[in-house]
């Protein structure tokens, strides 16, 4: 999974995405209209990552719709056609549930609405009624969805970039020790190339050093190790050595917790596999996960 993420991060460049607005739609505007539109769109998150040319195309495609007090701009249950940005005016939001319509909120001269039906391809989820004369800017769903696609690919790229930024690489010579059993842990490793040998010394009544080390695993490209001590807050359960030249991606403990938090459960589940393996090898689970040991 991690290698997949890293390869994607390296290969993916949002600038290379198909970022053309395709069919260019132009609704001519006066200077005053264009200024008002620009002001209304300033805080729309979706438009924030567009470059000036793309933004200009979006503004060209938007059209002004004047509304009267009492007018329904959107009806719940209808098809999604446009996304709307408020230019001016006040609007109530009604949601009908079990046949009863209830006002659930309102907009006061700013904001936007009508994105849900476009994003999820569902019927309109609410009715929007103007409570004063006003104006909204409409954007057809085709262009709205294009912006959404560009926004999510940029967002994805930034997240991947963040991951790449906190990962360092280290090269180990043949036989070099990467992790020492019993040491305190401060990082996590992913094998980028070469092979890593994991060995463990049986924990006996006598000094651990008296017992010979047994090879318990080998890891190659795409596999990770050194997570156990970070997950259990215990010293390193085993040692790791380079077999031939090894290149590892290394992530410090803070980055590990922050970025791989969502993978923590998967890693915890793996502890049971380790324990099973140790019971088979040593006749005991070596207390690798027991914090009181
Ligand atoms: P959409 O479903 O396309 O059309 C109605 C819009 O009302 C919806 O998108 C939202 O933008 C907006 N809205 C605001 N509040 C709510 C709400 N509580 N439930 C559903 N839609 C809401
Ligand atoms: P950690 O304890 O941080 O450092 C040694 C690593 O060896 C450990 O994390 C695991 O990633 C890895 N390892 C592989 N097999 C086992 C096992 N059976 N028991 C414990 N650790 C193992």
């Amino acid at each position: 999974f991690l290698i997949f993420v890293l390869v994607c991060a390296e290969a993916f460049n949002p600038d290379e995405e198909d970022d053309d607005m395709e069919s260019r739609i132009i609704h001519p505007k006066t200077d005053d209209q264009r200024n008002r539109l620009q002001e209304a769109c300033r805080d729309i998150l979706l438009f924030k990552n567009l470059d000036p040319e793309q933004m200009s195309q979006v503004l060209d495609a938007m059209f002004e719709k004047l509304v009267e007090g009492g007018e329904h701009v959107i009806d719940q249950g209808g098809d999604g056609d446009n996304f709307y940005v408020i230019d001016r005016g006040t609007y109530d939001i009604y949601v009908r549930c079990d046949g009863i319509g209830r006002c659930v909120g309102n907009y006061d001269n700013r904001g936007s609405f009508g994105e849900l039906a476009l994003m999820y391809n569902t019927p309109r989820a609410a009715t929007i009624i103007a409570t004063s004369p006003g104006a909204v800017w409409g954007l057809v769903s085709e262009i709205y969805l294009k912006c959404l696609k560009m926004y999510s690919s940029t967002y994805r790229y930034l997240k991947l970039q963040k991951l790449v930024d906190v990962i360092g690489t280290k090269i180990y010579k043949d036989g070099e020790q990467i992790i020492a059993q019993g040491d305190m842990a401060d990082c996590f490793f992913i094998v980028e190339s070469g092979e890593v040998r994991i060995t463990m010394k049986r924990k006996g009544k006598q000094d651990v050093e008296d017992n010979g080390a047994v090879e318990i695993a080998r890891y190659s490209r795409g596999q990770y190790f050194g997570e156990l001590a970070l997950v259990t807050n215990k010293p390193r359960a085993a040692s790791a050595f380079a077999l031939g030249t090894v290149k590892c991606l290394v992530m410090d403990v803070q980055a590990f917790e922050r970025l791989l938090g969502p993978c923590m459960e998967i890693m915890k589940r793996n502890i049971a596999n380790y324990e099973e393996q140790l019971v088979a090898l040593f006749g005991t689970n070596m207390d690798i996960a027991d914090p009181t040991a």
Side-chain angles (χ1 to χ4, degrees), residues 179-181 185 187-189 198-200 216-219 224-232 234-240 270-271 273-278 281 285-286 288:
I179 283 180
Q181 183 175 345
C187 51
F188 163 76
F189 303 82
I198 305 289
T199 66
M200 192 183 245
I216 54 170
R218 279 198 187 190
Y219 293 129
Y224 63 82
F225 62 95
E227 84 299 356
L228 182 64
L230 303 183
V231 171
T232 58
K234 293 187 59 172
R236 296 293 194 190
S239 295
N270 206 23
I271 296 177
N273 297 338
Y274 288 153
E275 286 177 330
E276 242 173 62
Q277 185 195 11
L278 297 175
L281 274 170
N285 68 10
M286 306 287 280
I288 55 169

Side-chain angles (χ1 to χ4, degrees), residues 77-81 114-125:
D79 287 340
D81 46 3
E115 77 292 354
L116 295 180
L118 310 187
M119 285 169 83
Y120 303 111
N121 198 16
T122 50
R124 294 294 197 187

